Amino acid sequence: MLERGLVLAPFVFDGVQARLAEAAGFDAVYMSGFGTAASWGLPDRGLIGLGEMAANAARVAGAVRVPVIADADTGYGNEANVARTVELYERAGVAALHIEDQEWPKRCGFLEGKRVIPAEEMELKVRAAVRARRDPATVIIARTDALAPLGREAAAERARRYFAAGADLVFLDGLKDRETIAWAAEELRGIPLVLNTWLLAPEEAEALGFRLYLQLGVMLRHFADFRAALAELRATGQVRLGEDAGVEWITELLDRGREE
């Protein structure tokens, strides 16, 4: 899929969201670490561990036939822990996973206060992840969160080093505006890149050279819509439903998946 062009994967964090994304025609889904932590009622600050993340990855992957890209945080330790993470994620059925160069406990890539480990340590983790995969088709993604704490030059240099260490894709996270996205695409041209945002249309992302687009906006919209529905219920005692609302269609979708 990556060889054919840009892969667009919406954020999901449970089986029904993944099934809805598949039914909508998406060719891949992204299991969000932020969303997984939020489903536990927790912030994305390193409070969810390997066992919980791998179990959720298995639930998501088990719900769909399309490839699942999964957040694997920092790999949950040193190189041996990273190898174990790859083993569990492959067993869960994911097609790709990303590990990042933050210190543990980590923080969401769009939050302030991130701290990163030395680049040399992350290079060892990337090599360990590549060695640990049993399926050569498993895509290993190296993520750097160095942009906010260290600046553009350091973040770009880390991206190059992680790609040279064997990562299939490189993920420079924390790109908060269109100008920074364009800078990253130009600065790292020739390296297969991951984009995590809601700011660009897929055609724009592909034109800039990105290979994998993790669409964060769908998850943010999900939370906002649910909050709005609760506020409406609280204020009026009712929730207005559209013509396509109801339990029948979602039940049919879930039953269809079981039958297939």
Side-chain angles (χ1 to χ4, degrees):
M1 290 172 60
L2 290 167
E3 291 174 354
R4 294 198 299 268
L6 179 77
V7 176
L8 175 63
F11 273 53
V12 302
F13 54 83
D14 62 23
V16 67
Q17 291 178 335
R19 187 69 62 79
L20 287 166
E22 182 181 44
F26 289 97
D27 295 322
V29 297
Y30 170 62
M31 189 203 82
S32 158
F34 183 102
T36 300
S39 72
W40 286 71
L42 297 170
D44 186 14
R45 292 177 179 164
L47 300 173
I48 297 292
L50 170 58
E52 294 151 328
M53 289 288 287
N56 199 45
R59 284 192 289 269
V60 171
V64 293
R65 295 181 179 179
V66 298
V68 175
I69 305 110
D71 187 345
D73 293 319
T74 65
Y76 310 101
N78 61 18
E79 300 97 283
N81 299 100
V82 167
R84 175 66 171 161
T85 298
V86 172
E87 177 186 351
L88 290 183
Y89 272 55
E90 280 195 314
R91 192 182 301 169
V94 305
L97 65 141
H98 67 74
I99 58 172
E100 65 204 43
D101 58 3
Q102 285 195 56
E103 293 183 2
W104 188 264
K106 54 78 54 82
R107 297 172 69 87
C108 170
F110 282 87
L111 296 179
E112 300 300 324
K114 296 184 297 295
R115 296 182 299 180
V116 292
I117 62 176
E120 295 80 5
E121 289 186 25
M122 182 61 178
E123 287 175 308
L124 293 175
K125 287 188 174 189
V126 172
R127 294 190 181 101
V130 171
R131 288 195 304 269
R133 62 181 167 191
R134 296 184 179 181
D135 184 348
T138 300
V139 175
I140 303 298
I141 303 167
R143 168 175 146 178
T144 179
D145 287 78
L147 182 61
L150 301 181
R152 289 185 174 187
E153 184 176 344
E157 178 59 23
R158 283 176 176 244
R160 296 186 190 97
R161 291 177 66 168
Y162 302 163
F163 182 61
D168 300 302
L169 295 171
V170 176
F171 179 2
L172 203 165
D173 203 18
L175 304 177
K176 295 183 178 181
D177 55 64
R178 297 174 67 92
E179 188 274 329
T180 310
I181 292 170
W183 162 80
E186 181 59 32
E187 183 70 20
L188 298 172
R189 189 166 298 280
I191 295 177
L193 296 177
V194 178
L195 177 63
N196 171 29
T197 190
W198 65 92
L199 297 172
L200 271 61
E203 295 79 12
E204 294 178 280
E206 186 167 25
L208 286 170
F210 289 98
R211 302 286 296 281
L212 174 61
Y213 187 174
L214 310 177
Q215 231 295 349
L216 170 60
V218 68
M219 185 179 72
L220 300 181
R221 170 75 175 270
H222 168 79
F223 291 138
D225 285 352
F226 189 60
R227 182 173 67 172
L230 291 171
E232 180 184 347
L233 177 62
R234 184 65 178 171
T236 69
Q238 293 182 320
V239 177
R240 291 168 296 175
L241 299 177
E243 293 182 358
D244 61 346
V247 298
E248 293 84 2
W249 67 271
I250 188 64
T251 300
E252 289 175 3
L253 173 67
L254 297 174
D255 280 342
R256 185 165 65 246
R258 287 170 58 85
E259 291 166 0
E260 293 172 355

